Amino acid sequence: MKDVLKRFTVKDDFMGKYETLIQEVVIPFQEKILHDQAGVAEKSHAISNFELAAEKIETGKCDQPFYGMVFQDSDVAKWLEAAAYSLGMHPDSELEKRCDEIIDLIGRAQWEDGYLNTYFTVKAPEHRWDNLEWAHELYCAGHMMEAAVAFYEMTGKKKLMEIMSRMGEHMYERFIVNEAPGYPGHPEVELGLLRLADATGNERFKALAEHFINVRGVDLEFYNWEHKNADWFPFGGTRPNSNMAYSQAHLPVREQTDAVGHSVRAVYLYTAMADMALKNKDEALKKACENLWESITQRRMYVTGSIGSAYEGEAFTEDYHLPNDTAYAETCAGIGLIFFARRMVELSAKSTYADVMEKALYNTVLPGMQLDGTRFFYVNPLEVIPGVSGKAKTHKHALPERPNWFACACCPPNVARLLPSIGRYALGIVEDTVYSHLFIGGELKLEEGMGGKVIVTSELPYDNKVSYHFEPTDAEMVMTLAVRMPYWSEKTGIRLNGKDISPKISEGYAYISGPFSKEDVIDVTFDMSVKKVYANQQLFADNGRLAVQRGPLVYCAEGRDNDDDVLSLVIEKDAIFNESFVHELGGVVRLTVDGLRRSSDTSLYSFDQPESEKVKISLVPYYTWGNRGLNQMRVWLPYV
Amino acid sequence: MKDVLKRFTVKDDFMGKYETLIQEVVIPFQEKILHDQAGVAEKSHAISNFELAAEKIETGKCDQPFYGMVFQDSDVAKWLEAAAYSLGMHPDSELEKRCDEIIDLIGRAQWEDGYLNTYFTVKAPEHRWDNLEWAHELYCAGHMMEAAVAFYEMTGKKKLMEIMSRMGEHMYERFIVNEAPGYPGHPEVELGLLRLADATGNERFKALAEHFINVRGVDLEFYNWEHKNADWFPFGGTRPNSNMAYSQAHLPVREQTDAVGHSVRAVYLYTAMADMALKNKDEALKKACENLWESITQRRMYVTGSIGSAYEGEAFTEDYHLPNDTAYAETCAGIGLIFFARRMVELSAKSTYADVMEKALYNTVLPGMQLDGTRFFYVNPLEVIPGVSGKAKTHKHALPERPNWFACACCPPNVARLLPSIGRYALGIVEDTVYSHLFIGGELKLEEGMGGKVIVTSELPYDNKVSYHFEPTDAEMVMTLAVRMPYWSEKTGIRLNGKDISPKISEGYAYISGPFSKEDVIDVTFDMSVKKVYANQQLFADNGRLAVQRGPLVYCAEGRDNDDDVLSLVIEKDAIFNESFVHELGGVVRLTVDGLRRSSDTSLYSFDQPESEKVKISLVPYYTWGNRGLNQMRVWLPYV
């Protein structure tokens, strides 16, 4: 399934606003943060670290200390990748010039032997490669490789790719030629290497990625050996004992069946595994990916498409353990799940993969950012109680409001790089078939015999129609359009030129074959009726509760709309929802529904049945929560 | 309110079995554990530590190392206290002889200057008194003082009290005469000192207890000063930064209003505060105790009378944060709450205090022990899901089955000392009034003008009648009987010699004044109808759920009785309970009630309303849960 990012221009009422926000607010705002010019609470120092590294390489010393996490470089990498996609959408010579300057700086921070990492250059040169488990050297390299490829693809400029190719060769020399043992604690470099191999045609990068995937979890003693070899820990204090499952190194990857450990590490690894399964037609690896996908999506995923049930280890826990108020549900993990889903739908064109991609996009990635683009969630709880959330020992991570930035700032630039590359997830091409996974309007330019444009017009996520027009270069376009039939639409209508058609539906995609001419229009109309969502009975946090969804959007009750108290609300299982479009929150369909408010006196427990008063419960899309000040929020409401 | 322990002999069908179990099984079993002869998984070594300390004192050295926690001595102390109460109930010359031998050993482990603590004698003599915050020297001394007083009161033997008086004098010298700064991190010594002062008449012990209470939280820099002075931490690693609230040292005690920090520390402190308020008629201290009581019982207590919402810090968290599956709800904290309640009812004769005492006794202390007396819970969750409980990162503490013993073994001997001293909590005397707090059958011997016996016959907790007979020494007993009207009985009948009476009821006690003769009988009959319990709407873990209570007993659903699945059960709010006495689980009233079982397919989320099938839900008393192997358990059930 070919990547269409370069060929797709977003023209969409809903997602287009996000593209503009990313371009006009998020990228400039994050650029200021990386330069320590934004005046936010958390210092970044990420650009300064590169300056210090360059100074050290050029003069042999630097007077200032490194600042930040061992993986601070990755913030610059992810921002550069985001900026690259933004440049791909909207050329901006000023931004491009500033990117070039940063890339020049990165080049100056690279050692003669190709090694690049500011932490190890400025702060701990003696520990280079000493700690693959914790030190994130390969992780940072992977992100910079992704940025390099993105910058090349979007601008045609090769400099960063050349820098990262030198780093790739340095790593190849170490791990393949010289057979240094080990694999990264935090998977990511595999993704970067595979993209770099594709972009450069250098097979050594692919071989190195495969090597890291294949040796993972095979030598179970590697981390212990490393620990004994160099008892050094970049986060201060003593190096903790290894927890192999935390970094998915407990078993050879082809034998893994349960999604375990740090959830971002997990989905980055699974993405690379799926990528490699695809490239090598590796059936065993594909089967492992399918098992891990099932483990996540059938037993360990929130209704919002978020993953990671525990702050402890930022990790998956056990089947059906999905607490709402203490959820980890990291924004990055939702993004990683989208990466994984994108590779899976390429391995097998089944709508279930794209369904999850859509779920995580609207209900984990979007809520990860304030509507104004300047605040971000790392953790996306499904229930928030001011006074407890962000405050109780068990809820310190579950902040009730988005901060501007984080000491560990992985999520904000991850959102910034995902949204402007959304075309890559919205559509895909296999031979003469154009897959429409996500319903985002825009123009897709085609070549290779299908010459012309497919023009997608989408009213989603609030209205129910998606239309496909065609602009053939010649008289007509010989192609098939495969449209996802989303799980949330019970009855989806498909019309060709105003006439109902019943195309073949396979694995959740409707295959409508052309040729198509300039006059042809395919209209797809979805059932957007409000759905009540019920969790599996074994999902013990949600017994007796239901969630509400309309189209791809999960809804929530916020205190602001419900007399500052959502905890006493009860929904009636047969109640009918009222829908109204309102302009607040950037324009949303607000839902109201008859329900009850239970009231009790001040006592903690009572034998008296609570009084029930009829009320209108007001719900807003979950992605908009927390945009109107501190207040309660709940996704799963008790029902009667 | 005078302590009636020595005067009350338990003769009770229900609690009597526990007294026998404590005497015949628990005390011998725990004695074997302390001697490392029980063959259980966790080694105690607690007696051996005293042998090593004695050897060191007598020979200047010992070859074996200390083993266990820095507070390992307290296990011996609590067991000795338990054994003392057992001897008080049932003289046993063999047991008494073995206690005497242990006391002799303790005496040999005491230094010439009165200092007593095996950890600091064997392992860390250079750190004596270096770390009041963490090292538990005062805590161990407090427990041994309590044991000493109990042993003296029950057997008349003074040796342990003399030993502990020497330790008390040593402490007085240090903290009062020589003005060494500080107060204990873990309150407990205050309780021991106050009891020792009462038993010996030595006012210095009372003064020292008062000192520790009064200076607590006044010098907020003390722990930091101590940290700088001696950066030594008895649990290994570096000494953590002080968290004043963790040990209730964040404010002067009279200014504290919220129950915070480590919950056992909290209630031990509050107990001592209430004791001191009582002894000194200290209104400010009483008011603080009342505020803290409200904080616990109106905002931070489980329906079972358990306290402590988080494993982290074994601590209180925030108002209305009372998660069921990750509850800490430590057995020791429930016991400490009973201590606190007992002092509060002495400060103000209000039934609400005794209500909580009863709640915690039946629903936290009893479930803390296996029915056979050989296994114990430290943590008492209100919801257990095998596969998650005891297994997920967030649930490691919430074991689904009772272990025999713990590395930190505070709870088992705490249960062992509470149950055989239950008379102290069941009854109390103020002038000529006998208070009947808990409905436990037995004989209370009176003196001081009320000469004779009050004989309590109780059918509780399963049947509804408590009767009071009188055996005057002379013709009649001039006294008032004050019977608690428990919150769970909506209509309580009181009859004197078969005739309904309506005595004055004040603050939840019915005051029935004598004189009473041998022919008089007072029958109190309770409404034992099954109650549905509803939590305050702000208690967000329990919205849409109800619990079930009958008399003082909270009930639960176990998988064993409900087709191995309690998570899909829903109770109907108007359903009527069926009660049947069954012999299993030691004899209980089992409840059955019409309800629904919701079923869903294997998918994690579905738009289809779950199918509902009518089922009988079977409930057993919560104190019996986990006695029939690994299975699910739930206290709060969703209702419709």
Side-chain angles (χ1 to χ4, degrees), chain A residues 256-306:
Chain A
Q256 297 189 17
T257 53
D258 292 320
V260 298
H262 186 272
S263 57
V264 177
R265 289 171 199 238
V267 284
Y268 281 13
L269 173 65
Y270 307 157
T271 302
M273 284 164 61
D275 216 356
M276 181 170 150
L278 199 66
K279 286 186 163 59
N280 294 353
K281 301 198 191 324
D282 182 330
E283 284 300 316
L285 204 50
K286 179 181 174 188
K287 183 71 201 151
C289 289
E290 287 169 348
N291 287 337
L292 292 164
W293 177 267
E294 287 292 305
S295 170
I296 293 175
T297 60
Q298 290 306 308
R299 297 184 297 278
R300 300 186 176 194
M301 180 182 75
Y302 287 94
V303 70
T304 51
S306 293

Side-chain angles (χ1 to χ4, degrees), chain A residues 301 534 536 543 604-606, chain B residues 301 534 536 604-606 634:
Chain A
M301 180 182 75
Y534 301 88
N536 189 293
N543 294 140
L604 191 54
Y605 302 105
S606 168
Chain B
M301 181 181 74
Y534 301 89
N536 189 293
L604 191 54
Y605 303 106
S606 168
R634 176 171 264 185

Side-chain angles (χ1 to χ4, degrees), chain A residues 241-539:
Chain A
N241 288 331
S242 291
N243 174 344
M244 307 303 284
Y246 170 77
S247 53
Q248 300 80 39
H250 56 303
L251 278 173
V253 297
R254 287 172 188 76
E255 295 170 29
Q256 297 189 17
T257 53
D258 292 320
V260 298
H262 186 272
S263 57
V264 177
R265 289 171 199 238
V267 284
Y268 281 13
L269 173 65
Y270 307 157
T271 302
M273 284 164 61
D275 216 356
M276 181 170 150
L278 199 66
K279 286 186 163 59
N280 294 353
K281 301 198 191 324
D282 182 330
E283 284 300 316
L285 204 50
K286 179 181 174 188
K287 183 71 201 151
C289 289
E290 287 169 348
N291 287 337
L292 292 164
W293 177 267
E294 287 292 305
S295 170
I296 293 175
T297 60
Q298 290 306 308
R299 297 184 297 278
R300 300 186 176 194
M301 180 182 75
Y302 287 94
V303 70
T304 51
S306 293
I307 51 175
S309 299
Y311 161 76
E312 296 80 359
E314 311 187 307
F316 290 107
T317 54
E318 303 294 333
D319 286 347
Y320 303 113
H321 175 232
L322 292 157
N324 294 304
D325 53 329
T326 57
Y328 203 67
E330 185 180 340
T331 308
C332 280
I335 291 170
L337 182 59
I338 292 174
F339 297 161
F340 183 29
R342 175 65 182 79
R343 297 326 193 271
M344 289 306 286
V345 78
E346 207 163 333
L347 273 170
S348 312
K350 298 180 184 177
S351 63
T352 177
Y353 298 121
D355 285 342
V356 169
M357 207 152 71
E358 179 190 61
K359 193 189 281 270
L361 171 66
Y362 287 106
N363 305 298
T364 297
V365 181
L366 296 192
M369 183 165 71
Q370 196 84 349
L371 291 171
D372 70 3
T374 66
R375 294 178 165 269
F376 301 89
F377 274 135
Y378 195 112
V379 167
N380 295 281
L382 281 76
E383 179 160 313
V384 162
I385 311 100
V388 176
S389 301
K391 193 173 173 213
K393 298 176 177 62
T394 42
H395 293 65
K396 294 274 187 211
H397 63 287
L399 301 180
E401 294 187 284
R402 296 174 185 81
N404 282 125
W405 204 247
F406 301 87
C408 170
C410 51
C411 296
N414 228 350
V415 175
R417 72 180 178 134
L418 183 85
L419 292 180
S421 59
I422 200 66
R424 172 175 287 160
Y425 307 93
L427 296 145
I429 302 173
V430 179
E431 296 173 357
D432 69 347
T433 301
V434 172
Y435 280 87
S436 178
H437 304 306
L438 305 179
F439 305 114
I440 294 169
E443 293 185 7
L444 177 68
K445 238 181 281 174
L446 296 174
E447 292 158 24
E448 297 146 22
M450 298 185 281
K453 280 185 190 171
V454 179
I455 297 169
V456 188
T457 322
S458 171
E459 298 176 348
L460 262 70
Y462 290 112
D463 281 325
N464 73 338
K465 202 166 88 174
V466 178
S467 302
Y468 301 85
H469 289 81
F470 304 88
E471 286 188 7
T473 315
D474 303 322
E476 52 183 32
M477 293 167 72
V478 179
M479 59 163 282
T480 296
L481 180 69
V483 181
R484 177 172 62 103
M485 301 288 99
Y487 70 103
W488 44 261
S489 171
E490 255 177 73
K491 219 174 144 56
T492 300
I494 306 175
R495 287 185 299 172
L496 177 62
N497 301 326
K499 222 180 108 182
D500 286 337
I501 57 169
S502 300
K504 183 187 85 170
I505 293 181
S506 172
E507 300 283 11
Y509 283 88
Y511 288 82
I512 308 149
S513 294
F516 299 113
S517 70
K518 201 170 167 55
E519 289 70 38
D520 288 333
V521 53
I522 296 168
D523 292 315
V524 182
T525 51
F526 301 112
D527 168 13
M528 300 288 282
S529 60
V530 181
K531 301 288 184 191
K532 296 170 187 118
V533 189
Y534 301 88
N536 189 293
Q537 297 301 320
Q538 296 312 304
L539 202 173

Side-chain angles (χ1 to χ4, degrees), chain A residues 563 568 570 595-599 610-616:
Chain A
D563 291 331
S568 63
V570 179
L596 304 172
R597 183 181 295 288
R598 290 188 175 138
S599 58
E611 303 277 318
S612 283
E613 172 199 5
K614 285 212 174 282
V615 289
K616 289 275 178 211

